[in-house]
Amino acid sequence: MRKLVYYIATTLDGFIAGPDGADPTGPDGFWPLPADYIQHIATHYPETLPAPARAALSVTAEGTHFDTVLEGRRSYEIGLKAGITDAFPHLRHLVFSRTLHESPDPAVELVATDPARTVHDLKRQDGKDIWLLGGAELAGALYQQIDRLILKVGALTIGTGVPLFSHTFDPRAWKLTDHTVLDSGAAFLTYDRPAESTTT
């Protein structure tokens, strides 16, 4: 069965963006991207690079992890503000929103129904794993459906901002199954949820 994987960049203190929710790696962002970090993604997770980055880096690899990406409206609108209607044309792209009534791109599927039910159905379809891009509200709504966390941990703290999850208090145990620490100080940490605590 396909897994739902929350593959996300986070600061050391657990934030995925600043208080304004804007792209922290953008032109006005606070999050510099080291060369070894970008190279690691291009080598091991090429399908998670947005189309402009893939073009700039001459990345054509299909990737082995994901063939579907899920994101919430706020995350999707970061790309829209940059003039990008589909940052991942090489993946099936679903955006969860109850306020967007027409997709800005014919290849982007809008979903207004329960995210958990949608993921339940997606997991039973053939294909590679499902990438949960974010943001925090969608991750919170899908908290019990997440099978794996891949945290791209930046070597910085920001004090406050958008957390990994917008969710009620619900402690869960995870098992570290892989880790890579780069010379720049960034780390890629993979955690799997024990099978008995996974909800599909």
Side-chain angles (χ1 to χ4, degrees):
M1 184 181 294
R2 305 167 81 188
K3 289 181 170 63
L4 179 65
V5 182
Y6 191 20
Y7 169 88
I8 188 75
T10 176
T11 63
L12 290 169
D13 46 354
F15 297 106
I16 62 176
D20 61 359
D23 181 2
T25 65
D28 299 320
F30 56 84
W31 197 323
L33 297 179
D36 60 355
Y37 174 92
I38 296 170
Q39 185 57 51
H40 186 82
I41 293 173
T43 301
H44 298 282
Y45 303 95
E47 67 270 44
T48 66
L49 290 169
R54 285 170 63 89
L57 296 170
S58 299
V59 173
T60 58
E62 179 180 301
T64 59
H65 298 280
F66 311 114
D67 60 14
T68 302
V69 59
L70 314 180
E71 64 179 325
R73 177 185 58 81
R74 288 188 180 93
S75 294
Y76 179 61
E77 286 182 340
I78 291 174
L80 285 182
K81 289 176 182 176
I84 302 170
T85 59
D86 184 6
F88 306 100
H90 50 286
L91 302 175
R92 182 180 178 189
H93 192 170
L94 283 72
V95 173
F96 291 82
S97 175
R98 291 188 174 90
T99 57
L100 287 175
H101 302 295
E102 184 176 347
S103 177
D105 191 291
V108 174
E109 304 171 43
L110 293 183
V111 183
T113 54
D114 178 26
R117 171 52 57 183
T118 300
V119 167
H120 177 87
D121 294 339
L122 286 172
K123 284 185 176 182
R124 282 160 173 73
Q125 297 173 11
D126 291 334
K128 298 174 185 175
D129 286 340
I130 305 156
W131 170 27
L132 172 57
L133 185 154
E137 287 189 18
L138 183 58
L142 292 172
Y143 186 67
Q144 295 186 10
Q145 283 71 35
I146 296 171
D147 305 293
R148 175 173 292 162
L149 299 172
I150 301 178
L151 303 179
K152 302 174 287 181
V153 183
L156 76 163
T157 56
I158 60 172
T160 188
V162 179
L164 278 166
F165 298 96
S166 290
H167 193 61
T168 56
F169 183 71
D170 187 2
R172 300 208 175 247
W174 298 84
K175 181 180 180 180
L176 180 67
T177 55
D178 194 20
H179 66 281
T180 300
V181 180
L182 306 178
D183 290 342
S184 63
F188 287 72
L189 307 177
T190 300
Y191 294 90
D192 286 340
R193 176 174 288 180
E196 64 272 12
S197 65
T198 301
T199 300
T200 58

